Amino acid sequence: MFRAAAPPVAHRPEHGKGAQVAHHPTRASAPGAYPFRLNMYSVPPVQDITVDDFESWALDRLRVLAEIETASARNQPWSEIKAAIERRSNEYLVLRSNAVAQSGAVATAAAKAKELQRERAKDHVSHFVLRLAFSRTEELRRRFVHAETALFRYRLETEHLAEREAFLRAQDFVWRAVPPEEQRRHREQLLAVHPRLATTFDSESFLQVPWHRVPDLVERRRVLVLRGTAWIPTKEQSSLILAEFHARLQAQLESTARALPRLDEDDRLLPVLEHLSMGSMVGATNDYTNAALVGVDGESVHITADMVAPLVRQHAPLCMRHLHETLSTSHHLRHYGRLQYNLFLKELGLPVEEALLFWRRMFSTMTDDKFNKEHRYNIRHGYGLEGRRLNYPAKSCARIITQDPPGPQDTHGCPFRHFSPQNLSTALSTYYHVAPDEQAEILQAAKAGHYHVACTRLFEITHAKQGVARGDGLGQGESVAHPNRYMEASWRLAQQPAEAAPQAMDER
């Protein structure tokens, strides 16, 4: 197990046990330890969990946070972000309120309570695991705080009123109520900010809080700022709660970052945390496992060497399109470029015999003897037919972005991550004929580090004629997380009848 104290720090595992997250010494873990669905995450959890749960729970939460970040990066309205959170939460991070869980037969009350506690334990533990992964850099901390605050806001807004009020009463919020005489003394100033309260002013109440705790309300001029404090109507309490959550989490992450060096003594946790932080760059995803394109008859398409070029030029993402065009013009790819492209074609469904034929044709400037000595083995090795005979998966976006960064002469990697803005713009124009005004959003997303958002937007722009609108992604809002998934989605759109694809050109 590993033991994390406040601030959460991991220590060397003990043999034969799971993972344990320790908490504040005055709090004890017990049945019913999570009375509320909402959680300010002020106290780290304490329970034994397996290493598998340690990672799988965090990955499930990461999928929800990745959906939030993607929707925010694409400037979707809060209503759409809420829908995305609800969809992903129902799939990966179910967290029911007491009112919902207690409905039903009395005979199952104990079982429901146990399941409710497990849901909340998963939520609690996964939050603290991701704290460890996301506290490593200032950028990761900023992204984590933003996504977690949005998730908390969704839960706060969708919680039952009685449950929410009970949760708030249990918190130690340091807010000062404005005395009625002070409120009357500043009536004119308060009504200047809140004119709609003119008829109900005497029955309204206000809370006093340091102005820097509610910057969103100050920015929108929704509060009276007086002597360094913001006077907030009780009705605006949600903004105050969110600001408190944001401020606390930011401070706790900074505390965790200072404690991270002590994790070095645990050689089991570091790979897990590295994997989680890597996945955060493009959203959590599993490796693509659908190994072939499917035709309209539902059968897998038999791909030949002759089909590779037209398929890639019509359906492939920019990373694979760039590799193919470089191979076509120079008749050569360096090692990591060959590896990345070979596994992509393998996952696409190109048989090994056709792969050997394809690569031999592309390496047209070398002799058969040189090809057989230097490349035949590696191509077969990628198919699991040589060496250790492992079935290597095609590289996901996370692996392409974070592993084996390209050097000056390399062509592998992710163009949205590794190209300069000028080279990226040229590639978008040359390969996809994307107009300059449509490139702006893609370039901005890439510059901000939202590489999957940039790639997803490219998919939407280049498939608008097939009915793909802004926000649709690869389908139902899915973002690009794997080159083969991009390819499969593009291929699937091409198979649908022309009359079944509504035009969405005006939404590009």
Side-chain angles (χ1 to χ4, degrees), residues 2 4 8-11 19 21 51 54-56 58-59 62 125-137 140 256 259-281 402:
F2 79 87
V9 184
H11 295 280
V21 184
V51 174
F54 178 85
E55 183 171 14
S56 64
L59 280 172
L62 184 57
V125 171
S126 64
H127 170 87
F128 276 87
V129 174
L130 289 187
R131 269 198 200 181
L132 292 173
F134 277 75
S135 61
R136 295 167 166 262
T137 67
L140 286 175
T256 302
L260 274 179
R262 283 183 276 171
L263 276 174
D264 292 342
E265 63 185 60
D266 191 327
D267 56 2
R268 291 198 305 174
L269 293 181
L270 287 177
V272 174
L273 299 177
E274 289 285 356
H275 176 63
L276 292 172
S277 58
M278 178 184 73
S280 74
M281 300 186 70
T402 60

Side-chain angles (χ1 to χ4, degrees), residues 106-330:
V106 178
T108 63
K112 288 182 178 180
K114 184 177 180 180
E115 181 62 24
L116 197 68
Q117 290 299 306
R118 179 170 174 82
E119 290 175 4
R120 295 176 183 182
K122 177 180 178 179
D123 173 69
H124 199 191
V125 171
S126 64
H127 170 87
F128 276 87
V129 174
L130 289 187
R131 269 198 200 181
L132 292 173
F134 277 75
S135 61
R136 295 167 166 262
T137 67
E138 183 178 353
E139 172 64 15
L140 286 175
R141 291 195 294 270
R142 181 190 62 79
R143 292 167 61 179
F144 183 67
V145 170
H146 177 270
E148 281 284 345
T149 302
L151 178 60
F152 182 80
R153 177 185 174 185
Y154 161 77
R155 291 172 174 174
L156 185 67
E157 292 182 359
T158 57
E159 182 60 288
H160 290 74
L161 180 60
E163 294 290 328
R164 182 172 61 185
E165 290 180 349
F167 166 76
L168 294 178
R169 285 194 299 270
Q171 303 309 304
D172 185 23
F173 293 135
V174 186
W175 301 334
R176 189 175 79 86
V178 177
E181 58 274 14
E182 286 191 48
Q183 180 175 322
R184 288 191 295 271
R185 185 182 309 124
H186 297 282
R187 176 189 179 100
E188 185 176 342
Q189 293 166 289
L190 288 169
L191 289 179
V193 180
H194 307 285
R196 289 180 296 179
L197 301 182
T199 58
T200 60
F201 184 82
D202 292 336
S203 61
E204 296 290 340
S205 60
F206 289 80
L207 298 171
Q208 211 170 26
V209 63
W211 71 268
H212 56 81
R213 305 299 291 271
V214 285
D216 58 328
L217 295 179
V218 174
E219 181 183 14
R220 289 180 285 156
R221 300 185 179 184
R222 296 276 300 275
V223 293
L224 169 66
V225 178
L226 193 65
R227 294 188 294 275
T229 62
W231 292 27
I232 303 173
T234 304
K235 292 180 180 179
E236 298 283 358
Q237 191 179 44
S238 293
S239 294
L240 191 56
I241 297 167
L242 292 175
E244 187 73 21
F245 180 89
H246 184 281
R248 288 187 184 186
L249 180 55
Q250 192 165 16
Q252 290 160 352
L253 280 173
E254 291 170 357
S255 177
T256 302
R258 291 192 294 270
L260 274 179
R262 283 183 276 171
L263 276 174
D264 292 342
E265 63 185 60
D266 191 327
D267 56 2
R268 291 198 305 174
L269 293 181
L270 287 177
V272 174
L273 299 177
E274 289 285 356
H275 176 63
L276 292 172
S277 58
M278 178 184 73
S280 74
M281 300 186 70
V282 292
T285 181
N286 295 321
D287 286 328
Y288 187 77
T289 57
N290 195 8
L293 300 181
V294 177
V296 292
D297 57 357
E299 299 294 327
S300 297
V301 177
H302 179 73
I303 300 176
T304 65
D306 294 332
M307 297 169 61
V308 171
L311 279 174
V312 169
R313 285 173 174 151
Q314 184 177 356
H315 301 295
L318 182 54
C319 55
M320 299 304 165
R321 179 72 183 273
H322 178 63
L323 285 172
H324 182 85
E325 299 302 341
T326 301
L327 181 60
S328 298
T329 55
S330 66

Side-chain angles (χ1 to χ4, degrees), residues 288 290 293 315 459 463 466 468 473-475 478 480 482-496:
Y288 187 77
N290 195 8
L293 300 181
H315 301 295
F459 182 92
H463 292 81
Q466 284 79 39
V468 178
L474 304 186
E478 178 187 353
V480 177
H482 200 291
N484 287 85
R485 178 73 183 113
Y486 182 112
M487 184 89 173
E488 188 271 338
S490 177
W491 166 266
R492 186 180 66 248
L493 285 171
Q495 305 313 301
Q496 65 185 17

